[in-house]
Amino acid sequence: MSASAIFVLDLKGKVLICRNYKGDVDMAEIDHFIPLLMQQEEEGMICPVITRGTVHFMWIKHSNLYLVATTNKNSNASLVYSFLYKLVEVFTEYFKELEEESIQDNFVVVYELLDELMDFGFPQTTDSKILQEYITQEGTKLEVTKTKVPTTVTNAVSWRSEGIKYKKNEVFIDVIESINVLVNANGSVMSSDIVGSIKLKTMLSGMPELRLGLNDRVLFSLTGRDKGKTVMMEDVKFHQCVRLSRFDSDRTISFIPPDGESELMSYRINTHVKPLIWIESVIEKFSHSRVEIMVKAKGQFKKQSVANNVEIRVPVPSDADSPKFKTSTGSAKYVPEKDLVLWTIKSFPGGKEFLMRAHFGLPSVEKDELEVFFLMSIDFFVRYMKIIEKSGYQALPWVRYITQSGDYQLRTNA
Amino acid sequence: MPYLGGEETVRELKRALSNPNVQAEPLRYRNTVLRVVRAMSQGVNVSGLFSEMVKACATVDVVQKKLVYMFLCSYASLNPELSLLVINTLRKDCQDPNPMVRSLALRNMSNLRLPSLVEYVEQPLTAGLRDRAACVRRVAVLGWAKLYNLQPGSDIDAAVVNELYSLLRDPDPVVMVNCLRALDEILKEEGGVVINKPITHHLLNRMKECDVWGQCEVLRVLQRYRPQSDDELFDILSLLDASLVSPHPPVMAATLSLFLSLCADLPAVSLAALERVSGPLLAACGSGSREMRFTALCHIQLLMRSVPGLMGPHFKRFFCGYAEPAYIKQRKMQIMVELVNDENVSMLLDELKGYCTDVNTDTAQAAIQAIGHIGRSYSDRCLEILTGLLGLKQDHITSAVVQTLRDLVWVCPQCSDTVCSALEGCEETLQDSQGRQALLWLLGVYGDGVSSAPYTLEAFIDGVKSEVSLGVKMELLTATMRLFLTRPAETQDMLGRLLHYCIEEETDMCVRDLGLLYYHLLKCGIEETRNVLQGRRSDPSLGVLIGRPAQPISQWACSFNTLEPLKKGGTVTQTASRGSPEHEASKPKTAVELPETLDCSTISPIPLFWKCWRLKLSVV
């Protein structure tokens, strides 16, 4: 691993906050980072690793910040990137939005976090739930922290503190699937997969033991038993609280949940999905440098279901002007700063077909890729959720299923 | 707080810090300290407040302590004498009943990075190793590593090393992992922490308790272990099997790395491991983070050096999305070129054709070159696409196509007829020097097949005075000479003019010398000239794309899961300083022993089959 120092920079390259962990790379090296990045950007050859002499900068960008790790070792790249993303995750959990302003407003907490997250270039405590116990946060909390020793330091269950109390005991389960599709200009699906996750919001007292029952289709595909009928789930990740040994032996997902929000599991299904919303587009060029784009959208899902907030983005050339639109439903508008037409449909019932026509002047239309964003609900697979706690209180589980578009692109011919 | 000038701020803060009234009120005192640290992170030089801050350190307020320590660690190296004063407070804090305070003090004590203070730090660190709170032990263990890092070459205290080895059995997994890290640092000279059989088995059993970072560390350290028997080896391998397909890409990569090092003598097992990780690696290619995707792609390229067909069935996974950054697209194209076979060639070419009109010119040019590479095996289809692209009349596309055609003709001489007929009219759209050089080379070598070649050259010669690119002028000279040999009647007059210009008027010595050389060559007679200028027109041996022999895994195993694969072969567009194809010289690839530090100058940034392009005078 061994990162030598971590920097948070604003877009102009000013160091907002930095932490020197090892002291083997000159901290002034960071001044070369932005000029090098700019140079690469000009040459169109941006790369997530920038090297200057023996120093390597590994960087990621988050909103209006650059997070940069420097090292002079041939260190493990994927681990460094994972750590930088972990930083983003932890900071976001603390400040809601991670951006320049929140760093400046909370620089003390950021320093404290950087101190706990890494020592001597090695990641230490990175679980945000545990971190919260180490971080003194605001002055008002001071008196408490002075006497209270963090329970998790010695605790067997590192992700949950003891003695949590709620008046009303509830669990919210969100099953969120996002669909990534890439469709060719001639209408064939080039690649498609589904990325799903189960999110929990736990508001339960004590040390509850939860058991989640999934339906058989999911179980079989998780275990890869019934290969013929079901699709394999790839890349299944569980939160560290899930007892994997238990899952291996009798296929139940049992766990002591972390308090508050957490992601219980995530998975990917790499399968040939029928695109839920099918788009056809015709681009007609008329002689007097006028162009008409016609987009037809069809909902290819059950009649009872409804997709909400569908957005269809049609890229147009930057020199397009005088847009005119006609839609059978929803509204279309031209977003010149992003060079696209945005067609929004508030609710899109299954099996329906809608049309949009757009006229433009003077464009030189080339190849486009349409992007579609939507949100809808589907039927899914949680069978039961059992909550067992010593005191035996009543608790309510709530389940919600959402399907949303991930990277949903359809190509068109010019 | 209004931003005052640096000095003004420091003076005001100094006054506030030494004001007894402020010191008496904890909250006000802390706010003043906070302002100091804020000024520090804004880049104001507040080192003048060091002694006041040392005093502020003696407080019961944890927040204030943290702030002051932060300040002290930043400025300690500027004030070594004053830092001595802090040591007392820090040592007192190391006795605090609160483990948080103890670990905080210990960490900052070892972060001061002052060699003069080492003797005061050793004792609390020793005590810290035996502290009952895990968080203190974690800090103490790494503290020793910091201490040795501070004075490299100092004597290693055997008692400490023994203590650290025994802490490998600490109940806290982070302490255990930190011990590995610390021992590695302390025993750097002797090759790092020694891994014997009991330690290996202990680490393997404890791995489940560790977080992702810890697991990667353990897996990395275990690479040093050599199992004593095959049975033991296979026991270890089956224990690791679960983490080989771990959903966390870093863990998966670290496990594979360990597999490859354990099975260095068992190629069949290594290959099976590669097959097994192909799934998780592909999953990592679809990861949400662009950097992780990029890393995964680079590592797939490494794997494919040994198992070219590994990703064959999944070629569609490497199709580029619209919004992906150029560096990912270019890597994906490199992989797609490698995956081409009879079944998928038309799909891959269709896909690549789509990228040729990408808004990013580098991506577009990379796509064109990728098609050129596939052309070495499937020349007809690729030529059709490439010549079609010329019709777009976009200067960057035409330039890349002409360069690609030149490279293609060099390895596949049978394409020359098609290429010759496509060249007509290109010169109007060509803007950049690379593209014009390629065109000139083609006109020189295949001028007999292009009817308009003399007219094109004439236009170049007429404009030679205003030509700025050295490469174009040199190429123009050679091309005119070559054309003169095949079509003397049409070229003689313009060659005379060009030579006259180069020898009499040109200021650049390279061009002038080349002109003189050709002039004297012509004096020696036409046969002599022919011998020198009409060398080889092609080298088909370079063009193998399919059926390239697989490299042994050991060639790249040592660089797997490091930074190195990310730096290699950064782009397909190696357009900088490139001459004609015959200037190419093969450079033997030496297997460099991987150094701990990565020096990029030793790594050639050129794709394998490209060898090395050198700019030199071919004829001299």
Side-chain angles (χ1 to χ4, degrees):
Chain A
M1 169 79 205
S2 65
S4 179
I6 300 279
F7 298 87
V8 181
L9 308 180
D10 67 5
L11 287 183
K12 288 190 211 89
K14 201 181 84 180
V15 178
L16 294 177
I17 247 169
C18 62
R19 187 84 172 77
N20 189 356
Y21 288 110
K22 275 199 122 154
D24 55 357
V25 174
D26 187 3
M27 294 299 272
E29 283 287 339
I30 194 69
D31 297 338
H32 301 289
F33 170 71
I34 286 289
L36 283 169
L37 189 70
M38 293 296 173
Q39 190 193 333
Q40 282 196 343
E41 201 164 340
E42 232 159 70
E43 290 165 6
M45 308 226 252
I46 265 191
C47 176
V49 193
I50 298 179
T51 305
R52 183 181 178 275
T54 55
V55 183
H56 308 280
F57 300 99
M58 282 175 260
W59 61 277
I60 63 171
K61 196 179 167 191
H62 184 88
S63 68
N64 53 1
L65 295 172
Y66 289 110
L67 286 93
V68 188
T70 57
T71 178
N72 57 5
K73 300 262 164 58
N74 187 7
S75 48
N76 185 335
S78 57
L79 214 52
V80 175
Y81 291 127
S82 309
F83 181 75
L84 291 178
Y85 275 98
K86 190 79 203 178
L87 276 186
V88 172
E89 191 188 317
V90 171
F91 288 163
T92 316
E93 223 155 296
Y94 267 88
F95 318 133
K96 289 276 177 284
E97 287 289 309
L98 174 59
E99 52 177 15
E100 195 181 328
E101 211 160 296
S102 61
I103 292 273
Q104 264 163 354
D105 291 350
N106 299 289
F107 75 100
V108 175
V109 184
V110 176
Y111 270 130
E112 285 188 56
L113 282 170
L114 285 175
D115 217 32
E116 297 294 342
L117 281 163
M118 196 179 237
D119 198 3
F120 201 50
F122 299 112
Q124 301 288 309
T125 316
T126 52
D127 193 306
S128 52
K129 297 275 155 8
I130 303 174
L131 275 170
Q132 263 157 26
E133 312 233 340
Y134 283 92
I135 305 303
T136 41
Q137 291 249 45
E138 288 307 319
T140 42
K141 281 194 179 171
L142 172 72
E143 280 70 35
V144 189
T145 43
K146 232 171 65 182
T147 46
K148 199 184 113 194
V149 177
T151 46
T152 48
V153 175
T154 47
N155 209 346
V157 184
S158 66
W159 57 88
R160 189 180 174 94
S161 308
E162 271 170 58
I164 297 172
K165 273 233 147 56
Y166 284 99
K167 229 181 237 164
K168 193 173 171 193
N169 290 298
E170 287 175 308
V171 197
F172 298 88
I173 308 164
D174 278 357
V175 182
I176 300 170
E177 286 201 330
S178 51
I179 302 182
N180 301 326
V181 181
L182 181 60
V183 179
N184 205 344
N186 55 27
S188 61
V189 180
M190 305 291 272
S191 66
S192 62
D193 53 27
I194 300 172
V195 178
S197 68
I198 301 182
K199 296 217 162 109
L200 286 183
K201 187 175 178 187
T202 325
M203 292 152 76
L204 296 171
S205 319
M207 274 284 175
E209 163 98 33
L210 266 58
R211 233 178 322 169
L212 183 69
L214 301 179
N215 87 28
D216 290 345
R217 175 180 79 99
V218 183
L219 270 185
F220 282 138
S221 56
L222 270 177
T223 53
R225 245 187 263 164
D226 187 28
K227 269 192 190 144
K229 284 179 212 152
T230 54
V231 281
M232 270 293 277
M233 275 185 171
E234 283 178 19
D235 199 11
V236 184
K237 282 183 212 179
F238 287 109
H239 188 274
Q240 59 161 334
C241 65
V242 176
R243 292 193 188 86
L244 290 175
S245 52
R246 188 78 186 270
F247 179 75
D248 286 336
S249 61
D250 60 3
R251 305 290 150 208
T252 48
I253 298 177
S254 86
F255 56 97
I256 296 172
D259 194 43
E261 287 177 40
S262 59
E263 188 179 85
L264 183 67
M265 71 179 271
S266 68
Y267 56 87
R268 166 204 301 278
I269 304 172
N270 184 33
T271 170
H272 213 84
V273 286
K274 192 172 69 176
L276 291 178
I277 293 181
W278 187 254
I279 306 274
E280 280 171 45
S281 68
V282 182
I283 299 171
E284 267 182 280
K285 275 192 187 177
F286 295 100
S287 52
H288 295 288
S289 50
R290 191 164 63 84
V291 148
E292 185 177 302
I293 303 173
M294 191 185 79
V295 179
K296 190 162 78 175
K298 192 177 175 200
Q300 305 194 81
F301 43 88
K302 273 192 228 138
K303 287 222 167 62
Q304 307 92 292
S305 303
V306 174
N308 292 317
N309 299 323
V310 179
E311 276 186 15
I312 298 168
R313 303 181 182 181
V314 188
V316 290
S318 49
D319 52 353
D321 64 15
S322 55
K324 260 178 262 161
F325 303 106
K326 227 184 272 169
T327 55
S328 59
T329 187
S331 67
K333 69 170 183 224
Y334 177 45
V335 191
E337 61 272 19
K338 285 183 185 150
D339 293 330
L340 48 84
V341 174
L342 187 65
W343 180 21
T344 43
I345 302 165
K346 275 269 164 307
S347 86
F348 196 136
K352 284 274 163 54
E353 224 180 76
F354 297 120
L355 262 177
M356 178 197 65
R357 283 168 194 279
H359 293 263
F360 283 100
L362 251 180
S364 50
V365 177
E366 275 179 42
K367 209 177 109 89
D368 296 318
E369 277 177 323
L370 292 129
E371 286 181 278
V372 185
F373 296 84
F374 59 86
L375 204 66
M376 62 178 295
S377 65
I378 42 142
D379 48 344
F380 199 70
F381 56 69
V382 174
R383 253 196 343 196
Y384 62 85
M385 170 72 114
K386 274 189 195 146
I387 301 160
I388 307 150
E389 221 274 336
K390 278 176 285 184
S391 58
Y393 54 70
Q394 281 289 313
L396 289 170
W398 304 93
V399 187
R400 178 167 71 162
Y401 304 101
I402 298 166
T403 299
Q404 61 191 23
S405 64
D407 186 15
Y408 201 101
Q409 301 183 358
L410 301 111
R411 295 184 182 162
T412 59
N413 273 330
Chain B
M1 185 185 79
Y3 184 78
L4 308 162
E7 280 175 43
E8 190 68 24
T9 320
V10 174
R11 222 170 305 139
E12 197 236 304
L13 285 169
K14 193 166 196 147
R15 221 173 305 133
L17 278 175
S18 39
N19 182 349
N21 291 333
V22 173
Q23 290 177 5
E25 282 177 60
L27 213 62
R28 254 179 89 189
Y29 200 16
R30 187 176 56 197
N31 279 336
T32 319
V33 172
L34 189 77
R35 276 167 54 201
V36 175
V37 177
R38 188 188 292 272
M40 180 178 88
S41 63
Q42 279 167 349
V44 180
N45 182 6
V46 283
S47 60
L49 300 171
F50 201 83
S51 52
E52 281 78 17
M53 289 297 271
V54 170
K55 274 183 217 130
C57 175
T59 170
V60 283
D61 183 339
V62 181
V63 175
Q64 184 170 333
K65 257 189 211 305
K66 277 193 181 181
L67 291 170
V68 176
Y69 288 159
M70 216 171 330
F71 174 92
L72 295 179
C73 287
S74 310
Y75 287 111
S77 52
L78 300 175
N79 298 284
E81 286 87 35
L82 284 171
S83 306
L84 197 60
L85 301 174
V86 199
I87 285 290
N88 256 332
T89 325
L90 283 167
R91 285 180 65 134
K92 211 173 82 212
D93 280 349
C94 287
Q95 318 276 326
D96 197 280
N98 184 346
M100 293 260 300
V101 176
R102 290 205 299 273
S103 66
L104 184 69
L106 211 51
R107 180 163 52 222
N108 285 292
M109 213 189 265
S110 45
N111 274 351
L112 287 173
R113 295 205 193 96
L114 284 175
S116 56
L117 298 183
V118 166
E119 49 180 321
Y120 304 101
V121 183
E122 280 182 353
Q123 191 269 327
L125 278 182
T126 316
L129 288 181
R130 295 183 201 126
D131 200 287
R132 65 201 141 70
C135 62
V136 182
R137 292 199 301 273
R138 293 174 186 178
V139 174
V141 169
L142 280 183
W144 282 107
K146 292 179 199 167
L147 223 56
Y148 279 94
N149 195 41
L150 203 58
Q151 334 167 266
S154 65
D155 287 338
I156 297 164
D157 187 350
V160 173
V161 173
N162 282 340
E163 183 110 29
L164 288 176
Y165 269 115
S166 66
L167 275 177
L168 284 177
R169 312 222 168 246
D170 195 277
D172 183 75
V174 182
V175 174
M176 176 185 84
V177 175
N178 278 354
C179 275
L180 289 175
R181 293 159 170 164
L183 283 167
D184 242 13
E185 185 72 33
I186 296 170
L187 304 173
K188 208 161 35 183
E189 312 266 290
E190 298 158 34
V193 54
V194 179
I195 300 293
N196 58 19
K197 191 170 170 176
I199 293 183
T200 305
H201 290 202
H202 170 70
L203 290 177
L204 282 170
N205 288 332
R206 294 282 303 273
M207 223 172 70
K208 277 199 207 86
E209 301 165 34
C210 300
D211 53 10
V212 178
W213 323 108
Q215 289 185 12
C216 291
E217 202 68 39
V218 170
L219 290 164
R220 182 186 63 80
V221 166
L222 285 180
Q223 287 188 30
R224 293 201 198 119
Y225 182 62
R226 290 279 156 266
Q228 281 135 1
S229 67
D230 275 359
D231 282 347
E232 193 193 354
L233 170 68
F234 287 113
D235 280 349
I236 294 177
L237 293 187
S238 47
L239 253 176
L240 288 173
D241 191 65
S243 50
L244 190 59
V245 288
S246 156
H248 299 286
V251 176
M252 176 264 298
T255 318
L256 180 62
S257 206
L258 176 58
F259 255 73
L260 296 180
S261 93
L262 287 176
C263 311
D265 308 323
L266 300 165
V269 182
S270 307
L271 285 178
L274 295 189
E275 294 279 336
R276 206 149 152 65
V277 292
S278 62
L281 257 180
L282 273 175
C285 287
S287 133
S289 122
R290 317 192 294 187
E291 290 77 12
M292 295 302 272
R293 273 202 311 255
F294 177 68
T295 316
L297 287 171
C298 294
H299 281 96
I300 284 182
Q301 283 187 305
L302 267 192
L303 257 62
M304 280 175 31
R305 281 164 63 175
S306 288
V307 196
L310 188 63
M311 297 294 167
H314 309 287
F315 68 95
K316 282 191 188 172
R317 296 286 282 265
F318 300 103
F319 287 179
C320 307
Y322 164 68
E324 277 179 321
Y327 57 84
I328 290 186
K329 284 187 183 169
Q330 293 182 4
R331 290 282 175 164
K332 283 189 168 176
M333 281 188 246
Q334 290 175 9
I335 294 176
M336 276 156 68
V337 169
E338 302 260 328
L339 290 180
V340 97
N341 61 28
D342 288 347
E343 281 101 66
N344 61 25
V345 62
S346 53
M347 267 193 100
L348 279 175
L349 282 177
D350 270 352
E351 186 68 21
L352 284 170
K353 197 170 134 190
Y355 307 150
C356 292
T357 47
D358 198 282
V359 279
N360 182 323
T361 53
D362 285 294
T363 307
Q365 293 186 333
I368 292 168
Q369 277 167 6
I371 294 178
H373 283 305
I374 296 177
R376 294 168 181 203
S377 311
Y378 301 94
S379 48
D380 292 347
R381 298 184 212 213
C382 294
L383 278 174
E384 194 186 315
I385 297 177
L386 290 173
T387 47
L389 286 170
L390 289 175
L392 293 173
K393 303 254 177 232
Q394 294 276 326
D395 57 348
H396 70 275
I397 293 179
T398 308
S399 164
V401 170
V402 173
Q403 290 175 60
T404 307
L405 288 177
R406 173 197 60 191
D407 297 347
L408 191 60
V409 165
W410 181 251
V411 288
C412 306
Q414 70 275 15
C415 312
S416 60
D417 290 341
T418 327
V419 170
C420 286
S421 57
L423 285 180
E424 312 257 354
C426 282
E427 71 279 359
E428 285 157 26
T429 18
L430 279 176
Q431 298 286 332
D432 64 331
S433 58
Q434 302 290 345
R436 283 181 301 159
Q437 278 184 60
L439 178 67
L440 286 171
W441 186 86
L442 282 167
L443 290 177
V445 177
Y446 291 98
D448 46 339
V450 187
S451 56
S452 67
Y455 304 102
T456 314
L457 284 186
E458 186 151 30
F460 270 100
I461 291 172
D462 289 343
V464 75
K465 278 189 187 131
S466 49
E467 178 60 60
V468 283
S469 158
L470 171 67
V472 171
K473 284 190 224 174
M474 305 276 274
E475 202 66 62
L476 181 60
L477 254 175
T478 313
T480 319
M481 283 294 284
R482 282 188 175 140
L483 198 64
F484 173 67
L485 294 174
T486 45
R487 299 165 76 168
E490 294 154 287
T491 329
Q492 188 175 7
D493 177 54
M494 59 173 101
L495 177 63
R497 269 190 288 146
L498 182 64
L499 283 176
H500 181 267
Y501 167 79
C502 289
I503 296 167
E504 296 294 327
E505 289 177 51
E506 175 61 46
T507 49
D508 191 287
M509 276 304 126
C510 277
V511 181
R512 192 170 166 269
D513 279 357
L514 190 67
L516 275 173
L517 178 88
Y518 285 149
Y519 179 68
H520 290 298
L521 197 61
L522 285 169
K523 272 186 167 173
C524 295
I526 200 73
E527 269 319 302
E528 206 59 28
T529 315
R530 209 177 286 278
N531 281 343
V532 172
L533 276 174
Q534 287 189 325
R536 280 202 302 176
R537 290 171 128 197
S538 63
D539 182 4
S541 69
L542 279 174
V544 200
L545 180 65
I546 288 176
R548 234 168 336 111
Q551 290 181 2
I553 293 171
S554 57
Q555 280 228 313
W556 51 264
C558 57
S559 63
F560 187 80
N561 203 23
T562 65
L563 202 56
E564 209 181 308
L566 276 70
K567 308 289 304 178
K568 268 189 185 157
T571 43
V572 192
T573 44
Q574 291 294 330
T575 42
S577 73
R578 184 136 65 84
S580 322
E582 69 258 55
H583 299 168
E584 152 177 341
S586 65
K587 187 169 138 197
K589 258 202 124 62
T590 43
V592 195
E593 198 61 20
L594 183 79
E596 172 69 339
T597 51
L598 175 69
D599 179 13
C600 284
S601 58
T602 61
I603 300 160
S604 72
I606 298 163
L608 279 170
F609 37 84
W610 273 45
K611 308 280 174 61
C612 175
W613 301 91
R614 269 194 286 162
L615 238 188
K616 62 164 192 192
L617 302 183
S618 62
V619 284
V620 186

